[in-house]
Amino acid sequence: MEELETAVAGGYSHLFPAVPILAVISTTCCLLILRSFIKTHVFAIFWYLYWIALGNLLLLINTCIWRGNVRNIPVYSDIVSRIWQIYALEIYLSILCLNKFIWTISRPAPSVKVYDTRRRINRIDAAIVFGIPLVMSPLFFFISGGRYLIIEDFGPWPFVTTSIETFLVMMVPSFVAGVISITFSCLSCYNFW
């Protein structure tokens, strides 16, 4: 037991071999699946898998670079901390678009209409997935307590202060996207019933 406490306190995490290996496996699986969904032109699935693969790839890179240290790499750390700030919102928005797509195809309609509306659906999904984070990203600068926070063995993370503004900017959009997503899921289940 003392050896484990010394190893963890000395900067060597017991998560190191497992986290990068699982990140490689999950990123590879996401990219293999992503390749097949490019042909279907379903924007929601594509961006959901893209963000999952990007998050796992960043986790892999960060756990390898910052294993046992807190070295400062300013430009990379700024970029990664901003990506982590919009990551959760992007996942919720991608799931929202996916549930909206399932609801759209679960409604009874002629097959020609479903194919014609796919382009319109993809444009709306692109506006949701790109537009909302573009509007929210500048707001992250107002709630940040600093540029980033480097966590040993995990790399740079967003450094935010605990305040009502942080709650409004970081939590409320994800919560609203989740509620709308659940609504589309329930409507889809009703249409399939």
Side-chain angles (χ1 to χ4, degrees):
M1 186 68 177
E2 292 177 10
E3 294 174 1
L4 179 63
E5 291 174 3
T6 307
V8 173
Y12 297 105
S13 173
H14 56 278
L15 296 175
F16 177 72
V19 171
I21 290 170
L22 291 174
V24 167
I25 291 170
S26 59
T27 303
T28 305
C29 290
C30 283
L31 292 177
L32 290 174
I33 296 170
L34 185 67
R35 199 172 135 230
S36 65
F37 278 108
I38 291 175
K39 296 176 185 176
T40 63
H41 301 289
V42 178
F43 188 81
I45 297 172
F46 174 79
W47 282 108
Y48 177 71
L49 290 172
Y50 168 79
W51 279 102
I52 293 291
L54 180 66
N56 287 323
L57 185 65
L58 288 176
L59 188 62
L60 168 71
I61 293 168
N62 289 348
T63 54
C64 290
I65 291 175
W66 277 278
R67 180 177 180 229
N69 64 43
V70 288
R71 153 183 23 179
N72 190 8
I73 305 172
V75 175
Y76 177 79
S77 297
D78 281 333
I79 293 169
V80 169
S81 66
R82 296 301 170 223
I83 289 173
W84 282 126
Q85 278 183 329
I86 63 170
Y87 179 77
L89 180 61
E90 286 286 352
I91 294 293
Y92 278 109
L93 292 175
S94 298
I95 291 173
L96 166 66
C97 292
L98 180 61
N99 286 329
K100 187 176 70 64
F101 177 75
I102 292 170
W103 172 72
T104 303
I105 64 172
S106 70
R107 293 183 298 170
S111 60
V112 174
K113 186 175 182 183
V114 170
Y115 180 76
D116 290 341
T117 59
R118 184 174 288 178
R119 286 186 175 169
R120 185 176 56 83
I121 290 169
N122 284 342
R123 288 185 189 132
I124 292 170
D125 291 347
I128 291 171
V129 170
F130 292 127
I132 294 174
L134 282 177
V135 169
M136 298 303 291
S137 292
L139 296 177
F140 290 135
F141 290 106
F142 295 111
I143 63 168
S144 294
R147 290 170 56 191
Y148 49 84
L149 177 66
I150 296 179
I151 300 172
E152 183 178 359
D153 295 328
F154 288 102
W157 288 90
F159 181 59
V160 294
T161 58
T162 305
S163 65
I164 191 72
E165 293 86 8
T166 303
F167 176 76
L168 291 174
V169 172
M170 302 247 344
M171 300 298 171
V172 170
S174 298
F175 178 76
V176 170
V179 168
I180 295 170
S181 180
I182 289 171
T183 305
F184 278 121
S185 296
C186 292
L187 290 173
S188 300
C189 290
Y190 178 76
N191 288 340
F192 283 127
W193 188 272

